[in-house]
């Protein structure tokens, strides 16, 4: 069966520090991968999605970047965090080649930038 | 931009009552999905309804879709305290190379009192 791992669960970082959040998927190959940010427990904002290794699409211009160095690994990064980067970050995957495009989510990372 | 808009934003009911949440969207869709999120956790897929379907059932869940009105509703019958969570609709836009992307609404916070 497929599983998705996202870590860390919580993170407190000072303004101006770098960021690296990691997400890995097991039990499937060539998944579509997504990074979302959720503010105040409400709607999800799609930040990045990837359809393959090294293929990253950005949905919203911002202080963050994403990379996919391996088929089932998706990394969210920042060189210098801003206060506005605080939020709940969610990684998700969906199978390719299916019209259903159901997404499966990780447990999330709560990021506080102080 | 958020395609889906849920209504109401918050719903408080007693155990055993039915809960109805509504979702409106703007563009043509391939399918519409509902997800559940417990506080501080990732989202979990509940049910998917295709654009050519009008109603779908899964256990205590009933989803309807009206493409002419671009709206959907989620009914949870005989609610339980464990149903307390946020519920999100998500739409898969029709056509093009959407790469499995979904657009999520702002969510409805459901509280079921024992």
């Amino acid at each position: 069966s497929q599983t998705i791992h996202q870590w860390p669960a919580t993170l407190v970082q000072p303004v101006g520090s770098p960021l690296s959040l990691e997400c890995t998927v097991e039990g499937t190959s060539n998944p579509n991968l997504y990074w979302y940010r959720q503010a105040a427990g409400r709607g999800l904002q799609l930040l990045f999605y990837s359809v393959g290794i090294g293929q990253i699409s950005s949905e919203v211009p911002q202080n963050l970047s994403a990379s996919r160095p391996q088929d089932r690994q998706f990394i969210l990064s920042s060189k210098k965090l801003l206060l506005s980067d605080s939020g709940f970050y969610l990684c998700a995957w969906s199978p390719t080649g299916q019209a259903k495009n159901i997404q499966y989510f990780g447990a999330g990372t709560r990021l506080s930038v102080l | 931009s958020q395609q889906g808009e849920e209504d109401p934003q918050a719903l408080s009911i007693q155990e055993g009552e039915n809960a109805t949440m509504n979702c409106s969207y703007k563009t043509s869709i391939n399918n519409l999905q509902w997800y559940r999120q417990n506080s501080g956790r990732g989202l979990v897929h509940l049910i998917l309804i295709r654009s050519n379907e009008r109603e779908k059932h899964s256990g205590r869940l009933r989803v309807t879709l009206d493409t002419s009105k671009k709206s959907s509703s989620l009914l949870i019958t005989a609610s339980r305290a464990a149903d307390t969570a946020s519920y999100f609709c998500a739409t898969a836009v029709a056509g093009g190379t959407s790469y499995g992307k979904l657009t999520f609404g702002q969510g409805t916070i459901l509280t079921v009192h024992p």
Side-chain angles (χ1 to χ4, degrees):
Chain A
S1 63
Q2 300 89 1
T3 56
I4 178 169
H5 302 279
Q6 187 180 342
W7 67 93
T10 59
L11 190 60
V12 181
Q13 292 284 98
V15 170
S17 64
L19 173 73
S20 180
L21 302 181
E22 189 163 342
C23 173
T24 59
V25 180
E26 296 177 356
T28 189
S29 59
N30 196 31
N32 292 332
L33 295 171
Y34 312 87
W35 277 112
Y36 292 90
R37 177 166 55 204
Q38 185 178 34
R42 298 313 300 270
L44 277 69
Q45 179 185 39
L46 180 63
L47 302 176
F48 301 95
Y49 69 92
S50 172
V51 300
I53 296 174
Q55 301 178 61
I56 309 294
S57 295
S58 174
E59 289 290 295
V60 183
Q62 58 206 317
N63 185 43
L64 302 169
S65 62
S67 61
R68 184 170 177 174
Q70 300 180 42
D71 181 45
R72 290 167 290 178
Q73 183 185 28
F74 205 22
I75 298 172
L76 183 69
S77 304
S78 174
K79 292 182 179 178
K80 289 185 177 182
L81 284 168
L82 306 172
L83 287 173
S84 57
D85 292 323
S86 294
F88 191 52
Y89 289 83
L90 289 158
C91 180
W93 74 275
S94 68
T96 51
Q98 292 186 14
K100 286 185 177 181
N101 51 24
I102 293 171
Q103 293 187 11
Y104 303 90
F105 284 79
T109 296
R110 177 80 54 194
L111 172 66
S112 298
V113 182
L114 305 177
Chain B
S1 62
Q2 296 291 341
Q3 151 125 291
E5 295 294 334
E6 277 100 334
D7 166 53
Q9 291 187 359
L11 181 60
S12 181
I13 60 175
Q14 295 295 127
E15 242 182 355
E17 295 179 342
N18 296 341
T20 300
M21 289 159 268
N22 303 296
C23 169
S24 61
Y25 58 92
K26 297 175 183 176
T27 63
S28 295
I29 60 172
N30 274 332
N31 63 68
L32 185 144
Q33 303 175 35
W34 286 89
Y35 288 77
R36 166 193 169 129
Q37 183 182 34
N38 286 10
S39 181
R41 305 290 295 174
L43 279 71
V44 175
H45 178 262
L46 294 176
I47 193 167
L48 178 150
I49 186 166
R50 291 186 174 88
S51 60
N52 61 353
E53 297 176 313
R54 291 298 167 257
E55 187 171 313
K56 201 155 184 186
H57 297 254
S58 177
R60 294 185 295 113
L61 305 180
R62 172 179 170 254
V63 171
T64 61
L65 179 65
D66 186 336
T67 53
S68 66
K69 295 181 179 178
K70 291 187 168 58
S71 67
S72 172
S73 68
L74 171 67
L75 168 67
I76 303 175
T77 60
S79 64
R80 307 165 181 167
D83 294 328
T84 295
S86 294
Y87 293 82
F88 295 88
C89 69
T91 51
V93 176
T97 52
S98 63
Y99 301 115
K101 289 194 296 181
L102 296 174
T103 301
F104 286 83
Q106 293 299 308
T108 293
I109 301 171
L110 173 65
T111 303
V112 182
H113 300 280

